[in-house]
Amino acid sequence: MHTITLIPGDGIGPEVTNAVVRILEATGVKFHWESFAAGAEAYEKYKEYLPQELLASIERNRVALKGPITTPIGTGFSSANVALRKKFELFANFRPIRNLPGVPTRYPGVDLIIVRENTEGLYSGIEHEVVPGVVESLKIITEKASTRIARFAFEYSRREKRKKIFAIHKANIMKLSDGLFLRCARNVSKEYPEITYGEHIVYNTCMQLVMNPYQYDVLLLENLYGDIISDLCAAFVGGLGLVPGANLGTECAIFEAVHGSAPDIAGKNIANPTALLQSSVLMLRHIGETNAAERVQAALERVYQSKEKLTRDIGGTASTTEFADAVIAAMSVATATS
Ligand code: NAI
């Protein structure tokens, strides 16, 4: 039995989370879900964006599955997502970008890994108004966090036999902050001679990616560049509805999709749960349920191959619920025939 903290989130969060939980339950693995509200919904109930019970649950279970949480733009509370990553020192944001069968894209056969620093940079949220009409936002880069994320990228690459890491930066302009990030990456790279190490400036990276994404293997980025580039890369494989993510620390891990709460389609039962489902496959591997992970991934790919029950974002007509039913059915067919 695995006890997992569940954060359904808001917007399309509860719809995609519900679909994923049903699929995970159908694997036969035993889960006990501890479910909590977060963000605006939690604030209404408890006057806290991240309730103490939720934080205690993650601390206890060390693994959470999370739907998206809306962050108000320009005003209001700061991001509950960023706060969670900071609170549990989930320093590595890990996003594999791979095509699913049957999803037409401009770029078949993409296999990119995005490793994003998750705790500092411009996301430190240290902003203030100097005088009316002038604000200051501080970008924090530390040797400790930069070395830690570089080491994560190199260790992952060594383990998974990836060949090449590119650190992405703007050290031509931000000489001190991005300069430090690069220095740390270079230092760590010396310990991994079997992995080719390179550096590209972020604007050039955007162009290079669109021209030829196959030239990259693992991308190592500080927080903001990682945020932007991972959405760009999501488009290579069919969009935000598909790409999974994991926030990893030394103690805890939170698995969540790359996409947000998609208010434009919330409550209509049309959101694609694939991104969260693929995140949950990363979670299954993390908790040692490799067999279930492989079965869910295979069932998902079968549903994509058959093209009959796809959601609207990738040209189908199926609802969120129908898509989840199809994955469950594909899993039981596979189990019966294996
Ligand atoms: P978004 O990712 O929610 O939506 C962007 C576009 O992609 C929309 O057209 C949406 O309909 C579509 N889309 C996203 N996920 C989809 C899915 N599963 N199936 C089908 N279509 C999907 O980005 P947006 O609109 O910028 O952000 C909305 C809110 O979400 C904001 O408050 C933002 O702060 C928050 N957010 C939360 C994240 C998290 O909880 N980790 C991550 C990103 C954004």
Side-chain angles (χ1 to χ4, degrees):
M1 169 81 84
H2 299 279
T3 305
I4 310 274
T5 305
L6 186 68
I7 309 170
D10 52 41
I12 59 169
E15 298 162 60
V16 292
T17 311
N18 185 35
V20 168
V21 166
R22 281 206 296 126
I23 295 166
L24 292 183
E25 298 276 344
T27 61
V29 175
K30 295 277 173 264
F31 293 100
H32 170 61
W33 304 100
E34 293 181 353
S35 183
F36 297 92
E41 189 195 347
Y43 193 77
E44 265 172 39
K45 280 191 203 152
Y46 312 106
K47 295 285 167 274
E48 280 177 313
Y49 298 110
L50 290 172
Q52 286 309 314
E53 291 87 341
L54 161 62
L55 300 178
S57 168
I58 298 176
E59 218 151 78
R60 238 182 0 257
N61 302 330
R62 297 174 170 221
V63 182
L65 183 64
K66 175 184 165 298
I69 302 172
T70 304
T71 308
I73 293 176
T75 56
F77 63 91
S78 9
S79 167
N81 305 306
V82 174
L84 274 176
R85 293 168 195 170
K86 279 196 197 152
K87 161 88 184 148
F88 293 106
E89 279 214 58
L90 305 173
F91 65 89
N93 190 294
F94 174 80
R95 296 177 172 180
I97 311 274
R98 294 193 183 98
N99 297 79
L100 277 166
V103 180
T105 67
R106 285 169 202 269
Y107 303 95
V110 170
D111 181 8
L112 272 171
I113 300 292
I114 294 187
V115 175
R116 164 184 170 192
E117 204 292 321
N118 223 6
T119 59
E120 54 180 33
L122 273 170
Y123 273 66
S124 303
I126 307 173
E127 292 191 318
H128 64 274
E129 190 172 51
V130 182
V131 290
V134 181
V135 295
E136 193 172 39
S137 180
L138 298 183
K139 168 163 166 164
I140 307 292
I141 297 286
T142 64
E143 189 176 329
K144 181 182 167 209
S146 304
T147 303
R148 183 170 64 176
I149 195 68
R151 192 164 297 288
F152 175 93
F154 278 94
E155 277 298 310
Y156 170 82
S157 301
R158 174 169 280 173
R159 203 172 55 245
E160 299 297 320
K161 309 221 174 338
R162 309 289 302 208
K163 300 267 177 298
K164 201 163 51 171
I165 295 181
F166 263 82
I168 308 305
H169 67 95
K170 186 99 178 117
N172 51 335
I173 303 298
M174 277 164 272
K175 294 185 194 298
L176 280 183
S177 53
D178 283 13
L180 175 58
F181 185 81
L182 282 187
R183 262 203 322 282
C184 296
R186 277 176 211 154
N187 278 344
V188 173
S189 75
K190 291 180 193 140
E191 297 170 40
Y192 300 81
E194 78 276 23
I195 298 164
T196 305
Y197 171 72
E199 296 168 355
H200 270 167
I201 299 183
V202 63
Y203 54 78
N204 178 32
T205 309
C206 293
M207 186 207 59
Q208 296 289 347
L209 275 164
V210 174
M211 298 283 282
N212 174 18
Y214 308 107
Q215 67 185 295
Y216 293 110
D217 184 6
V218 177
L219 295 176
L220 168 63
L221 308 105
E222 61 98 91
N223 213 336
L224 182 65
Y225 309 148
D227 185 42
I228 296 167
I229 298 264
S230 55
D231 270 25
L232 188 156
C233 291
F236 293 149
V237 298
L240 283 172
L242 306 179
V243 178
N247 297 296
L248 306 166
T250 42
E251 301 292 324
C252 299
I254 299 184
F255 296 83
E256 66 177 336
V258 170
H259 64 71
S261 55
D264 53 334
I265 57 166
K268 297 182 180 161
N269 195 25
I270 58 172
N272 188 349
T274 301
L276 189 65
L277 185 60
Q278 295 211 88
S279 309
S280 81
V281 169
L282 296 176
M283 182 187 83
L284 287 172
R285 290 189 201 285
H286 179 82
I287 61 176
E289 294 289 353
T290 315
N291 182 275
E294 275 160 18
R295 280 190 292 129
V296 172
Q297 189 68 32
L300 176 71
E301 294 187 5
R302 220 165 291 127
V303 170
Y304 271 90
Q305 231 141 19
S306 90
K307 294 192 179 145
E308 279 164 27
K309 294 285 177 193
L310 299 184
T311 46
R312 287 162 207 230
D313 53 313
I314 36 166
T317 55
S319 66
T320 311
T321 321
E322 286 166 339
F323 175 85
D325 290 342
V327 176
I328 293 168
M331 205 152 49
S332 46
V333 169
T335 309
T337 52
S338 63

